[in-house]
Structure formats: structure tokens, C-alpha cells
Amino acid sequence: ARAETALMAGQDVLIEKPLTPTLKEAYKLKEINASSSQILMVGHTFRYNPAVDYVKKLLLDEEIGNIRFLRGHFMGLRPKEQDAGILATVAIHFIYLSNYFMGRLPKNVWAKTNYFLDSKLEDHCLIRLDYDPEFSLIESDYFTPGKWRTFDIIGTQGAIFLDALNQKVELYHKRHIYTEKGFEVYDGNTLYPNIEFQEPLYLELSHFLECVQRRTEPLTGIRDSLDVLQIIEAAYESSRSDRTVALG
């Protein structure tokens, strides 16, 4: 509601993810934004992480061949949020990154949510995003000791490990190769690229100011946020119905 008011008052808006509580509200906000010339940017902070950009470049350069599957862990022992479940507050980051790394949306969504601390908001979730044939597995919780923001990307010619929190990337040229004896493991080299650590929130805010000054479309505009909200609503439906849900 505040974002709508600000846009209608002619203000540029940076809104924290999720864009809105529901997809229906997001479409309404999209209509308001489309009829104005204001900048609307959504705070998907991980899109402004230098290590994430480095991984995206490795994928575009086909350093690990074709992607087979992705696996993300966004977890850590912490108090649970009070205004939204873990799907919309934590797992949303890696749903966004899965789409970013794959370069497209999944066709199907499967999810399981758990309510260990109370019955109001989920505090653990498992999600499978089916990109056909590639898939992404995401797990989030408020219970695992430590602070995990990691992604494994397994390809046909190697693998990538991403530690988004510490902005570290490991590139593995290790894979299965087919020989006359069948599939065997090829133990190739491992690279540890040097990535300059930069504060993602600072980069995000700087990008917003640049978009405001130049009147340009932000990297994290409303379109990607609508896609993520659609996936989150499909995940809730999947968990409630205990079935895989196709995206419309």
C-alpha cells in the first residue's frame, strides 16, 4: 500500500523483497508502475553480489558444460520472522538466484513446508524447481547452526561451489568420463578465483540512485519479482496439496 501511494505521488521507490504479500497485489502494483514514469526497484540483494555475477559469467562461458542441477542451502540458527514464512523471507533469495543462473523460469514447482516452532508461519522448507530437464533443490531453515548461503551447481563438465556470504567461488574441473570400462571419475583441477569483496547492500543502493539519476530500468525491477512471487505461491499450493504444481 505504501509503495502504491509513493508511486501515485510521483516518487521513485525501492521496496524490500517480497514485492507484495500476494501475487494479486503485485499485479496491481505493476499496473500502477506501468502507467507512471517512476523507478520501481525491488531489493533482491543477492543480485548485487560480486561472487554471484562471477558464477553467472562462468555459466555463460560454459565452464562446466551444461547445467545438470543446482542445490542451494540458505539456513542458520536464528529467530524466525514474525510477518512472513521462510519461503517469502529466506528461500526467496535462492529462488531468484536459481532463475538468474538458469536464465529462465521453472515449468513445475514442488515444495514441502514445516512448522516446528508454531503453526502460524513455516520455519523450514524444501523446494524443487523443475526447469526440464535441469532442476534446482533449495532448503531453508532457522535451525541449522552456523550461517549458510551456499550453492552447488553441477554441470556435465565440472561443478561450481558458491559461498555467497563470504563471496567465494570454487571451480571444479572434475567429472565423469566414459571409457571402455564404463563411467569413471576424472579428477581435474580446482580453481579458486580471487574475487574482491564488496558490500551487496551498498552496490544495491548505489544502483538505485544511478537508476533514479539516469531514469533507467533497474536490474531488479518488477518483472523478476512477479516471477518469484508466482513460484512462491505455487510452492505454498504444492505443500498444501502434496503435489507438483505447474506454473501458468
Side-chain angles (χ1 to χ4, degrees):
R2 291 179 180 177
E4 292 180 19
T5 301
L7 287 172
M8 294 177 70
Q11 300 297 311
D12 298 312
V13 175
L14 170 58
I15 186 170
E16 186 55 272
K17 56 76 193 164
L19 176 63
T20 54
T22 67
L23 191 59
K24 182 178 180 181
E25 292 171 281
Y27 280 122
K28 182 180 179 183
L29 194 60
K30 180 185 177 184
E31 291 178 2
I32 295 172
N33 182 234
S35 62
S36 75
S37 59
Q38 306 314 120
I39 302 298
L40 175 59
M41 178 171 147
V42 187
H44 289 289
T45 309
F46 280 76
R47 178 63 179 83
Y48 303 92
N49 186 306
V52 168
D53 280 342
Y54 193 94
V55 169
K56 179 66 174 179
K57 185 178 185 304
L58 291 177
L59 296 175
L60 291 174
D61 291 342
E62 299 184 346
E63 284 287 341
I64 60 169
N66 297 320
I67 294 175
R68 282 188 167 135
F69 65 90
L70 307 92
R71 179 175 52 235
H73 291 117
F74 197 121
M75 49 187 60
L77 184 63
R78 53 177 279 196
K80 66 183 298 182
E81 301 289 342
Q82 300 300 313
D83 56 349
I86 201 167
L87 267 171
T89 57
V90 172
I92 185 173
H93 290 294
F94 278 12
I95 294 173
Y96 182 96
L97 285 189
S98 293
N99 292 341
Y100 179 53
F101 289 147
M102 289 302 306
R104 65 185 192 274
L105 300 184
K107 294 184 177 180
N108 300 290
V109 178
W110 176 91
K112 174 65 176 176
T113 57
N114 291 292
Y115 301 76
F116 292 119
L117 297 179
D118 59 54
S119 60
K120 297 177 181 179
L121 299 171
E122 79 278 1
D123 42 42
H124 172 272
C125 66
L126 287 169
I127 313 162
R128 175 182 166 117
L129 306 178
D130 182 7
Y131 293 89
D132 189 24
E134 307 91 341
F135 60 91
S136 181
L137 302 171
I138 301 168
E139 182 175 12
S140 293
D141 72 45
Y142 293 136
F143 305 98
T144 303
K147 194 172 183 180
W148 304 91
R149 309 288 187 267
T150 59
F151 237 112
D152 301 300
I153 306 175
I154 311 302
T156 55
Q157 300 297 314
I160 297 169
F161 172 76
L162 165 66
D163 179 349
L165 180 64
N166 296 301
Q167 297 182 21
K168 294 182 179 180
V169 174
E170 298 173 7
L171 173 61
Y172 296 90
H173 289 125
K174 302 172 186 290
R175 62 186 187 276
H176 290 88
I177 58 173
Y178 191 76
T179 70
E180 58 184 15
K181 298 179 181 180
F183 281 105
E184 297 184 359
V185 172
Y186 169 71
D187 190 17
N189 62 353
T190 303
L191 301 178
Y192 304 90
N194 184 25
I195 300 171
E196 180 185 356
F197 188 95
Q198 298 180 69
E199 174 52 54
L201 183 57
Y202 174 81
L203 297 178
E204 177 189 289
L205 295 175
S206 297
H207 179 67
F208 176 65
L209 292 176
E210 181 179 343
C211 291
V212 169
Q213 291 169 353
R214 298 186 179 184
R215 312 313 296 170
T216 53
E217 183 71 17
L219 290 174
T220 50
I222 195 169
R223 178 185 292 274
D224 291 345
S225 296
L226 283 168
D227 293 337
V228 171
L229 275 175
Q230 183 183 7
I231 292 170
I232 288 175
E233 291 205 350
Y236 279 124
E237 181 183 345
S238 172
S239 185
R240 284 193 300 265
S241 62
D242 194 24
R243 65 182 180 86
T244 298
V245 174
L247 286 188

